[in-house]
Amino acid sequence: MHFSSTSLARALLTAVSLFGAHGPAASQVTIPITTAHNALILRSDRSGNLNTVYFGEKLADSNEYEKVTGEALDLLAAAYTPAGSRNLAEPALSVTHNDGNRSLDLRYVSHNVTKENADVSLVTINLKDPVYPVEVTLIYKVYDKEDVVEQWSRIVNKEKGNIILDKYASANLYLKAGSYWLRQYHGDWAKEMQPEETRLTHGIKTIDTKLGARADLFGPSVFMVSLNKPAEEDEGSVLYGSLEWSGNFRIDLEVDPQDHLRLIAGINNYASPYTLKPGEEFVTPAFLYTFSTRGKGDASRKLHRWAREYKILDGKGTRMTLLNNWESTYFDFNEDTLRGIIKDAKKLGVDLFLLDDGWFGNKYPRNDDHAGLGDWQENRKKLPNGLVALVKEAQRDSIKFGIWVEPEMVNPKSELYFRHPDWVIKQPAREEHYFRNQLVLDLANPAVQDFVYGIVDSLFIKNPGLAYIKWDCNAVIYNAYSAYLKKDQSQFYVDYVRGLYRVLDRIRAKYPAIPMMLCSGGGGRVDYGALKYFTEYWPSDNTDPLERIFIQWEYSYFYPAIASANHVTNWGKQPLKFRIDVAMMGKMGFDIPVGKLSANDLAFCQNALKLYTEIKTTIWQGDQYRLSDPYKEDMASILYVDSTRSSAVLFNYLVNNRYDAGSKSPIRLKGLDPSKHYRLQEVNGYPGSAPGPENDKVYSGDFLMKVGIDPKINGRRTSVVIRLLPLPV
């Protein structure tokens, strides 16, 4: 659509008639977006410019929000900054109109507040460009008790021709402080969640990914911003943020000329201009944030409660312990081997046997990771009687059966690759590049979506007793190109993720309660956009328990223990007790050759599973407190306290093997009821070992939080688990 000077004049006259000479608002409008402890205050001025005037602790008197004054900052403080027009800063939204004009000016029109329930409210704010018919709705989903906000935007094209969204963020926050400290994460396979904390300086710091699939491999979208100084565990002001999106993301953190922090988060617009036809809308994924003035621990507990209640599938429910065959067999197994491991699962005392990679492919059998992906029929040589025979075998032993799949992927050495080359993401005229010897299927294509859904659906149809799915995703996207999209390649990265979500929506519509693990070579796809479909995630393929302490520590700031799948394996040099103690801090499983365990080791594992049954609810649903930081001390110490503050579980680990390393003084506990008394019980001791000096002692909560106890961690006692049991009233 092309605007002539005459039509542009008409548009301006129309704008005046709709909004008045001073824009859409005849007077200032203040919009408080508040939770139990926090407030975001937006205000439109007389011209309809919507700005952030306050972000911080909630005021006791809500009427006083009208007294909050915002500086005259042009568009630096905009609630959702448009590109062009008067804006000279990084935009949240950039549009190319049908006539080629790239300016945008968003003015307040109206807002609405609705309550979904006593805890959840929805605030919608409508904005319009007074010249071009582009409308934007800002949506804030507010979780009052949890102090959590999800924010996203809806962009509608009401022009007569196509427009192009050049950037389309989910959220645009504006923070004021003396200084800003960013804690972000980087890593790689087996090195997930490596933290870095730096002071933000003037200019723009960008956290992003361009991997397409398995997008979090080198760095996730979760982060913290501390105000004035780096937040401590129980002190300091800190914002947690994360984008609920499983593809390319971009987070811009700009310290502006006024020394304020502009935070813009959304889908990465890298190679992704998105075309909107007349009447079409684009809805961004949610950006999630919580804020605390009481440190990182308080912020994480808020996020945990929110995730269990509202986001993670069955977050208030239970989980199954399992035995996986991977480290016992890798690809080398047959039906008899698996029958034996199912018997081992029964003997061990877990709930479920998980059959991992290698069970499929005939023309190109899956005997290593070079072949078979895409050909999801049982391998007749390994499993002559099919999966159904193994499922029935497990049922006879009162063990549930689960299976590994990687349905989004294809090996070039597969029947699928030769049958449907148009389903594979690859540039038609360039050499192929492989990640783990495989390529990614084009989920922007509805036919591929049907295929991927059909893989999972057919497994359940053929094996009604199937009870668990481990869903893997081990490749990034090279040579991004969709044969299905043809000339619309700029929409590929977005449509790929939307295609994945369509598949998962269909699976959950038909199989709403089946537990599924979100696995991606470890933590390559851990985000709340994906976790709403999964009951748990795999933090890392690195299961060395010493490494896992650090990895799980950092994940725990953003994700609750019930979602963390922690397996006991033979990685590392630590004793079996240490490995099991670490795995207990989440959803525990085993991946060891049970048949090779000594009698003492087997008995220890069996007793540990019985103990875990007693304490898992406290770990999964309780509040987590980090007591001793492994980055700063010789030991890590983590406490889980149940909702009634009656019971707790304390985990302690030696993380430094140098001479005389260990606990040197009492550790003060947190989150207990000072008026209650607790009996301490050292648990999960290896057969023949003696408990420490605190075993069976009774202390008040007041004593434990002010004086504390020494778990006596040292080179001979490298891991200690202590239960706090309530005394009868």
Side-chain angles (χ1 to χ4, degrees), residues 189-204:
W189 179 81
K191 297 189 296 182
E192 288 82 0
M193 294 298 285
Q194 305 295 310
E196 292 179 318
E197 191 156 30
T198 55
R199 181 172 178 170
L200 291 170
T201 57
H202 288 84
I204 299 177

Side-chain angles (χ1 to χ4, degrees), residues 386-665:
L387 290 172
V388 67
L390 292 173
V391 174
K392 289 179 179 178
E393 178 80 15
Q395 289 174 328
R396 282 192 289 271
D397 285 323
S398 301
I399 293 290
K400 295 184 183 298
F401 190 93
I403 198 162
W404 177 97
V405 292
E406 193 177 3
E408 300 162 68
M409 303 292 162
V410 63
N411 286 125
K413 198 173 181 181
S414 68
E415 292 182 82
L416 178 67
Y417 178 87
F418 291 105
R419 193 165 62 246
H420 286 291
D422 58 316
W423 285 8
V424 180
I425 297 171
K426 58 177 182 174
Q427 293 281 352
R430 300 190 185 278
E431 63 178 311
E432 295 175 0
H433 294 281
Y434 307 125
F435 198 104
R436 204 191 175 198
N437 309 304
Q438 64 195 59
L439 294 164
V440 184
L441 294 176
D442 180 12
L443 280 170
N445 185 340
V448 177
Q449 297 169 27
D450 290 341
F451 171 76
V452 173
Y453 169 78
I455 291 167
V456 178
D457 188 39
S458 63
L459 282 170
F460 285 110
I461 291 171
K462 294 175 183 176
N463 307 281
L466 192 62
Y468 184 91
I469 293 287
K470 179 182 177 182
W471 185 301
D472 219 334
C473 170
N474 285 307
V476 302
I477 294 176
Y478 289 129
N479 282 336
Y481 180 85
S482 166
Y484 171 77
L485 291 175
K486 298 177 182 176
K487 292 184 178 181
D488 295 327
Q489 295 301 313
S490 67
Q491 301 189 180
F492 166 72
Y493 283 119
V494 173
D495 288 353
Y496 173 84
V497 179
R498 287 178 165 179
L500 169 65
Y501 290 164
R502 287 189 190 101
V503 172
L504 292 169
D505 281 330
R506 291 174 67 185
I507 290 170
R508 281 308 177 197
K510 189 170 182 181
Y511 306 103
I514 292 294
M516 292 204 307
M517 179 200 292
L518 175 62
C519 184
S520 189
R525 188 189 270 170
V526 181
D527 66 83
Y528 280 114
L531 272 174
K532 68 180 182 180
Y533 301 105
F534 292 84
T535 49
E536 58 224 54
Y537 70 92
W538 185 236
S540 178
D541 279 349
N542 187 343
T543 53
D544 180 319
L546 183 59
E547 296 289 342
R548 268 300 189 104
I549 288 171
F550 291 88
I551 292 171
Q552 291 169 200
W553 180 279
E554 295 300 334
Y555 271 119
S556 78
Y557 283 115
F558 303 95
Y559 304 103
I562 191 171
S564 180
N566 307 333
H567 290 184
V568 180
T569 75
N570 284 330
W571 279 48
K573 300 178 181 180
Q574 287 74 25
L576 181 62
K577 169 179 165 49
F578 192 103
R579 287 179 272 151
I580 289 179
D581 288 351
V582 172
M584 279 187 176
M585 293 191 301
K587 184 257 179 184
M588 187 169 69
F590 287 80
D591 197 341
I592 54 176
V594 175
K596 296 181 181 180
L597 293 175
S598 68
N600 272 352
D601 281 354
L602 176 60
F604 177 68
C605 291
Q606 291 168 331
N607 289 331
L609 277 163
K610 293 175 183 175
L611 168 69
Y612 185 65
T613 300
E614 297 175 11
I615 65 175
K616 63 185 181 184
T617 301
T618 298
I619 297 166
W620 293 348
Q621 303 297 338
D623 284 336
Q624 182 192 56
Y625 296 87
R626 300 169 200 84
L627 308 180
S628 179
D629 188 338
Y631 292 93
K632 300 176 181 178
E633 309 291 343
D634 288 343
M635 61 179 288
S637 186
I638 302 97
L639 178 71
Y640 298 89
V641 181
D642 76 0
S643 60
T644 66
R645 297 195 293 170
S646 298
S647 302
V649 185
L650 174 64
F651 293 92
N652 308 275
Y653 310 99
L654 183 69
V655 297
N656 181 357
N657 290 320
R658 297 193 67 182
Y659 175 76
D660 199 34
S663 57
K664 297 295 191 297
S665 59

Side-chain angles (χ1 to χ4, degrees), residues 179-303:
S179 59
Y180 311 92
W181 298 81
L182 171 68
R183 187 180 182 93
Q184 66 182 100
Y185 297 90
H186 68 95
D188 201 340
W189 179 81
K191 297 189 296 182
E192 288 82 0
M193 294 298 285
Q194 305 295 310
E196 292 179 318
E197 191 156 30
T198 55
R199 181 172 178 170
L200 291 170
T201 57
H202 288 84
I204 299 177
K205 165 74 175 183
T206 298
I207 304 170
D208 77 337
T209 182
K210 303 177 181 73
L211 304 183
R214 198 185 179 189
D216 287 359
L217 175 60
F218 302 132
S221 65
V222 294
F223 64 93
M224 307 177 196
V225 173
S226 299
L227 307 185
N228 299 313
K229 62 180 181 178
E232 301 294 339
E233 194 66 27
D234 301 303
E235 191 270 329
S237 296
V238 61
L239 172 87
Y240 282 24
S242 179
L243 189 68
E244 298 179 32
W245 182 249
S246 304
N248 294 344
F249 60 81
R250 174 175 168 177
I251 297 153
D252 295 317
L253 301 112
E254 179 179 17
V255 179
D256 69 19
Q258 302 292 331
D259 303 324
H260 301 146
L261 179 63
R262 305 177 68 250
L263 193 162
I264 299 172
I267 295 173
N268 198 335
N269 58 326
Y270 161 76
S272 298
Y274 205 94
T275 300
L276 279 189
K277 297 176 182 177
E280 286 187 339
E281 66 176 34
F282 187 97
V283 180
T284 69
F287 176 67
L288 161 74
Y289 53 94
T290 188
F291 179 73
S292 175
T293 58
R294 294 184 292 170
K296 296 183 292 186
D298 180 60
S300 71
R301 288 185 289 276
K302 292 175 179 180
L303 209 48

Side-chain angles (χ1 to χ4, degrees), residues 30-44:
T30 300
I31 308 172
I33 300 170
T34 63
T35 62
H37 299 97
N38 302 324
L40 167 64
I41 308 303
L42 307 179
R43 179 175 297 143
S44 71

Side-chain angles (χ1 to χ4, degrees), residues 362-405:
N362 286 297
K363 184 176 181 179
Y364 302 100
R366 182 72 166 173
N367 294 324
D368 55 38
D369 66 3
H370 288 78
L373 276 179
D375 302 342
W376 297 98
Q377 66 281 141
E378 295 102 323
N379 180 277
R380 290 187 291 271
K381 185 176 180 180
K382 293 180 181 180
L383 306 177
N385 296 300
L387 290 172
V388 67
L390 292 173
V391 174
K392 289 179 179 178
E393 178 80 15
Q395 289 174 328
R396 282 192 289 271
D397 285 323
S398 301
I399 293 290
K400 295 184 183 298
F401 190 93
I403 198 162
W404 177 97
V405 292

